[in-house]
Amino acid sequence: MEDLTLLYYTANNINETAGENIRQHLINTNNGKYPIISVSQKPINLGKNICVGEIGMSSYNCYKQILTGAKEVKTKYIACCEDDALYTMEHFSYRPPDEKTFL
């Protein structure tokens, strides 16, 4: 098992075609290497999906979704993946020194 989980979160507020393309890019880039947990306000097909319901967009709700997903992670590290960004595998290769991580 790898030491990283990809945590994708969305308020499902972006154009659905763009959202689907971004999610597909994440799937293709990851190529099954790391587990994916997605936390969304509407059900989506991406890894293990946790649908929190339509709670609205705010900084508080964004962090609430991240925390909800983080509680499900079983790996040492989490890579937060926003719903409007494209990532490369190099982005997921960094690991902080042990003395600089949260325990």
Side-chain angles (χ1 to χ4, degrees):
M1 179 176 178
E2 293 288 340
D3 64 348
L4 179 74
T5 297
L6 308 184
L7 177 55
Y8 174 91
Y9 51 96
T10 181
N12 298 96
N13 200 42
I14 63 173
N15 175 284
E16 183 51 34
T17 301
E20 182 58 38
N21 288 335
I22 290 168
R23 291 189 292 273
Q24 191 60 52
H25 176 79
L26 185 62
I27 291 167
N28 293 343
T29 298
N30 182 40
N31 197 27
K33 183 170 183 176
Y34 302 117
I36 300 174
I37 294 177
S38 59
V39 184
S40 59
Q41 294 191 21
K42 296 177 185 173
I44 60 172
N45 184 21
L46 180 61
K48 176 183 179 182
N49 180 240
I50 302 167
C51 181
V52 296
E54 295 185 42
I55 58 176
M57 286 180 47
S58 68
S59 296
Y60 176 83
N61 287 338
C62 178
Y63 289 116
K64 182 177 181 178
Q65 285 183 241
I66 294 170
L67 178 61
T68 298
K71 288 179 177 180
E72 295 297 314
V73 171
K74 307 292 186 234
T75 57
K76 183 174 181 178
Y77 299 106
I78 299 170
C80 290
C81 302
E82 297 185 1
D83 66 350
D84 61 352
L86 299 175
Y87 298 93
T88 64
M89 279 306 285
E90 290 81 12
H91 182 81
F92 305 127
S93 66
Y94 175 77
R95 301 294 184 275
D98 283 336
E99 66 272 4
K100 300 219 184 242
T101 59
F102 297 103
L103 300 176

